[in-house]
Amino acid sequence: MKPVTLCVQFSAVLVVLFLSFYLGRPIYLESFANTQDATSQPTSGLISGFREWRNGGGSTSGEQNETRSQKPGRRSKPGRNDETNFGLHPALRQPIWEVPPAGSQLPPRDAFALTKEMIEFRAKKNVIAVTFANFAFMDFVLNWVRHLTDVEVTNILVGAMDTKILEALFWKGVPVFDMRSGMETVDVGWGTPKFHKMGREKVILINAFLAEGYEILMCDTDVVFLQDPFPYFERFPDADILTSSDEVVNSVDDDRLEFYGQSWGAYNIGIFFWRPTTIAKELAKEWLQLLLSDDKIWDQNGFNDLARNVTGPSVGHDSLFWAYRGNLKMGILPVSLFCSGHTYFIQELYKKLDLVPYAVHTTFQFGGTEGKRHRLREAKLFHDPPEYFDTPGGYIWFKISIPQSLLSGGLHTVESHFALVNHQLIQIRTALAVASVLNRTLIMPPIWARFDRIWYGHPGILTGTKTSQPLKVPLDHVFEVNRMVADLSEIEFGPQIGIREYSFLENPLLENKVKKSVLKVKLCDRKLAGCSHKNKVSSGVLKLPKNSTDEELSAKLDIFNKFKILEFTSAIDVFGGFRNIDRGMKFTRRIKSYTGIWCCVMDKTPGHIWYDIYWDEKPNWKPLPPATPADDHQPE
């Protein structure tokens, strides 16, 4: 019996050692950590089996073959495998949005390392949705999670690139893991070296999750989901990869995948579904090696170069096609359902095809991160905190007047486009001045244009698209949104002028106590009897003499601070100028920096034309591109 007893004891020791290694091991990538600068923290929290896999070793513990073991159906609820996840810290097992109880302590940082059991606990049907960010994108992350949970998707994990967002997400009840990437907490800006570093982190994560055998929906944080996307992905069980696209012309009018032979836009890796097949892992591995070999390669370009290396023909009848040297089955998600910033905000393609989109990605926009945030707010797709909807000082709102002839009269030309936009710019300038004088936040009006905006010369709208003319354009088509919300020096530019999106009053998050607290301001001729009667409100309407100065506006309206909203019935002839010359000069300096460009006249370099908010004060102003490089600057 003694040998048998020893065998049993020895086997028990092996089982304990195996479980402690396999179930409790952190996921990491030592080889990538060695590529970081000496000042950054070593990368950890990446799947341990991935190191061997990446370096050409054997298959990882979670490797799957080309067949699909999962069948379509309802995904399990998080936590149903709780009994198998004894290595996961109890504080990290809570349902999404369940805030830690009062008096709770932050778990040790090692508890946030990405482990097999952490993924298993959150995954459903072996599928996980992942995004990652630093603290600068905290609100985007919360928005991403909120929209997914609103459509009952809870198989979610968020990678934290700095400790600040790690702790903040934990206290919000968001499932978070520690990437230990050493990333700064600020917005790094598109195209910068740190931006490229973030792109490499994405590819590392894709490799890591695939190595453990999980299907992964990898998303950028500026993606918003409007439907649960997983049932759509399940319709294509043979696909190795499903990717969104920068194509702006749809090749299908329904919910099929795009026809790859008619969809030429770049594959956009902001919405990206991978299955852990052998060939998908090979592509992910080569992609990462390519990026690590040259830190100037943009991750999206690197993927496109590899995936487009020998494509076609089609696979079956569901629009999948061969890619990546003809070995990988890929599908292009329909641009009307997995929308870019152009197909959603500009074309409104889903409306014209009578479809309900699954997701929107804020691409094809201007103004950086602030432009993205404002776009989502205009579409009422951004979850702001309550204080955003009850700003101290209150709001003002103007009804913009646009003659029908400017909207649709005559041909659509550069000249008619600028005539339409310039007519609105004068009224917006007035509205900004009144908001500045009264220290209120301006609810920006919707802006109408005849021409689309893009980065290159075009005939007004992009050929083949379903863009309407005239079209309601996002604010970033005309204004530098990032400049409008920047914290500019008051000494040089005067007081900050807060802005809100044109859909602000329609947002369901706006409480009735604000929405119904309105004083209407109607303009009148000061020469007429009763126009200048002091501060008399009749039927909720206050009469205001036309062309009131800053001093007159303050004297007339400051006493009505109890009203959250001042609604002006017109933005024409409201403001008569600044008596305070210094403040007037600072205001002018501020708003001159607000306007951007229209781009672009075809066959001309540069072909863009600057918008000028004071165009009407310049005799013989015409919408022309800069004549010389020295002329290429904001209007003075």
Coordinates of all heavy atoms in Angstrom, one line a residue, residues 50 53-56 200 203 207 282-294 297 306 324:
F50 N 1.2 33.2 -23.8 CA 1.4 33.9 -25.1 C 2.9 34.1 -25.4 O 3.3 34.2 -26.5 CB 0.7 35.3 -24.9 CG 0.9 36.2 -26.1 CD1 0.6 35.7 -27.4 CD2 1.4 37.5 -26.0 CE1 0.7 36.5 -28.5 CE2 1.6 38.2 -27.1 CZ 1.3 37.8 -28.4
W53 N 4.0 31.1 -27.2 CA 3.3 31.0 -28.5 C 3.9 32.0 -29.5 O 4.2 31.7 -30.6 CB 1.8 31.3 -28.2 CG 1.0 31.5 -29.5 CD1 0.5 30.5 -30.2 CD2 0.7 32.7 -30.2 NE1 -0.2 31.0 -31.3 CE2 -0.1 32.3 -31.3 CE3 0.9 34.0 -29.9 CZ2 -0.6 33.3 -32.2 CZ3 0.4 35.0 -30.8 CH2 -0.3 34.6 -31.9
R54 N 4.2 33.3 -29.0 CA 4.7 34.3 -29.9 C 6.1 34.0 -30.4 O 6.5 34.3 -31.5 CB 4.7 35.6 -29.2 CG 5.3 36.8 -30.0 CD 5.4 38.1 -29.2 NE 6.0 39.1 -30.0 CZ 7.3 39.3 -30.0 NH1 8.1 38.6 -29.2 NH2 7.8 40.3 -30.7
N55 N 6.9 33.3 -29.6 CA 8.2 33.0 -29.9 C 8.3 31.7 -30.7 O 9.4 31.1 -30.9 CB 9.1 32.9 -28.7 CG 9.3 34.2 -28.0 OD1 9.3 35.3 -28.7 ND2 9.5 34.3 -26.7
G56 N 7.2 31.1 -31.1 CA 7.2 30.0 -32.0 C 7.1 28.7 -31.3 O 7.4 27.6 -31.9
R200 N 0.0 49.5 -30.5 CA 0.7 48.3 -30.3 C 0.1 47.5 -29.1 O 0.0 46.3 -29.1 CB 2.2 48.5 -30.1 CG 2.9 48.7 -31.4 CD 4.0 49.7 -31.4 NE 4.6 49.9 -32.7 CZ 4.1 50.6 -33.7 NH1 2.9 51.2 -33.5 NH2 4.7 50.7 -34.9
V203 N -2.7 45.4 -30.3 CA -2.3 44.2 -31.0 C -1.8 43.1 -29.9 O -2.1 41.9 -30.1 CB -1.3 44.5 -32.0 CG1 -1.0 43.2 -32.9 CG2 -1.7 45.6 -32.9
N207 N -3.5 39.4 -29.5 CA -2.7 38.2 -29.4 C -3.0 37.4 -28.1 O -3.1 36.2 -28.1 CB -1.2 38.5 -29.6 CG -0.8 38.6 -31.0 OD1 -0.5 37.6 -31.6 ND2 -0.7 39.8 -31.5
E282 N -1.9 33.3 -36.4 CA -0.7 33.5 -37.2 C -0.7 35.0 -37.7 O 0.4 35.6 -37.7 CB -0.7 32.6 -38.4 CG -0.4 31.1 -38.0 CD -0.3 30.2 -39.2 OE1 -0.3 30.7 -40.4 OE2 -0.3 29.0 -39.0
L283 N -1.8 35.5 -38.2 CA -1.9 36.9 -38.6 C -1.6 37.8 -37.5 O -0.9 38.8 -37.6 CB -3.3 37.2 -39.2 CG -3.6 38.6 -39.6 CD1 -2.5 39.2 -40.5 CD2 -5.0 38.8 -40.2
A284 N -2.2 37.6 -36.3 CA -2.0 38.5 -35.2 C -0.6 38.5 -34.7 O 0.0 39.5 -34.4 CB -2.9 38.0 -34.0
K285 N 0.1 37.3 -34.8 CA 1.5 37.2 -34.4 C 2.3 38.0 -35.4 O 3.2 38.8 -35.0 CB 1.9 35.8 -34.4 CG 3.4 35.6 -34.0 CD 3.7 34.1 -34.0 CE 5.2 33.8 -33.7 NZ 5.5 32.4 -33.8
E286 N 2.1 37.8 -36.7 CA 2.9 38.5 -37.7 C 2.7 40.0 -37.6 O 3.6 40.9 -37.8 CB 2.6 38.0 -39.1 CG 3.5 38.6 -40.1 CD 3.3 38.0 -41.5 OE1 2.6 37.0 -41.6 OE2 3.9 38.5 -42.5
W287 N 1.4 40.4 -37.3 CA 1.1 41.8 -37.2 C 1.9 42.5 -36.1 O 2.5 43.6 -36.3 CB -0.4 41.9 -37.0 CG -1.0 43.3 -36.9 CD1 -0.5 44.5 -37.4 CD2 -2.3 43.7 -36.4 NE1 -1.3 45.5 -37.2 CE2 -2.4 45.0 -36.5 CE3 -3.3 42.9 -35.7 CZ2 -3.6 45.7 -36.1 CZ3 -4.4 43.6 -35.3 CH2 -4.5 45.0 -35.5
L288 N 1.9 41.8 -34.9 CA 2.6 42.4 -33.8 C 4.1 42.5 -34.1 O 4.8 43.5 -33.8 CB 2.4 41.5 -32.6 CG 3.2 42.0 -31.3 CD1 2.8 43.4 -30.9 CD2 2.9 41.1 -30.1
Q289 N 4.7 41.4 -34.7 CA 6.1 41.4 -35.1 C 6.4 42.6 -36.0 O 7.5 43.2 -35.9 CB 6.5 40.1 -35.6 CG 6.5 39.0 -34.6 CD 6.7 37.6 -35.2 OE1 6.4 37.4 -36.4 NE2 7.1 36.6 -34.4
L290 N 5.5 42.8 -37.0 CA 5.7 43.9 -37.9 C 5.7 45.3 -37.2 O 6.6 46.1 -37.5 CB 4.6 43.9 -38.9 CG 4.5 45.1 -39.9 CD1 5.8 45.0 -40.9 CD2 3.2 45.1 -40.8
L291 N 4.8 45.5 -36.2 CA 4.8 46.7 -35.5 C 6.0 46.9 -34.6 O 6.5 48.0 -34.5 CB 3.5 46.8 -34.7 CG 2.2 46.8 -35.5 CD1 1.0 46.9 -34.6 CD2 2.1 47.9 -36.5
L292 N 6.4 45.8 -34.0 CA 7.6 45.9 -33.1 C 8.9 46.2 -33.9 O 9.8 46.7 -33.3 CB 7.7 44.7 -32.3 CG 6.6 44.4 -31.3 CD1 6.8 43.1 -30.6 CD2 6.5 45.5 -30.3
S293 N 8.9 45.8 -35.2 CA 10.1 46.0 -36.0 C 10.2 47.5 -36.4 O 11.3 47.9 -36.8 CB 10.0 45.1 -37.2 OG 9.0 45.5 -38.1
D294 N 9.1 48.3 -36.4 CA 9.2 49.6 -36.9 C 8.1 50.4 -36.1 O 6.9 50.3 -36.3 CB 8.9 49.7 -38.4 CG 9.1 51.1 -38.9 OD1 9.2 52.1 -38.2 OD2 9.1 51.2 -40.2
I297 N 5.1 52.5 -37.9 CA 4.0 52.0 -38.6 C 2.7 52.1 -37.8 O 2.7 51.8 -36.6 CB 4.2 50.5 -38.9 CG1 5.5 50.3 -39.8 CG2 3.0 49.9 -39.6 CD1 5.8 48.8 -40.1
L306 N -1.0 43.4 -44.3 CA -1.0 42.0 -44.2 C -2.2 41.3 -44.7 O -2.2 40.3 -45.5 CB -0.7 41.6 -42.7 CG 0.6 42.0 -42.1 CD1 0.6 41.7 -40.6 CD2 1.7 41.2 -42.8
Y324 N -5.2 37.5 -46.4 CA -3.9 37.1 -45.8 C -3.3 35.9 -46.5 O -3.3 34.8 -46.0 CB -4.2 36.8 -44.3 CG -2.9 36.5 -43.5 CD1 -1.8 37.4 -43.5 CD2 -2.8 35.4 -42.7 CE1 -0.6 37.1 -42.8 CE2 -1.7 35.1 -41.9 CZ -0.6 36.0 -42.0 OH 0.5 35.7 -41.3

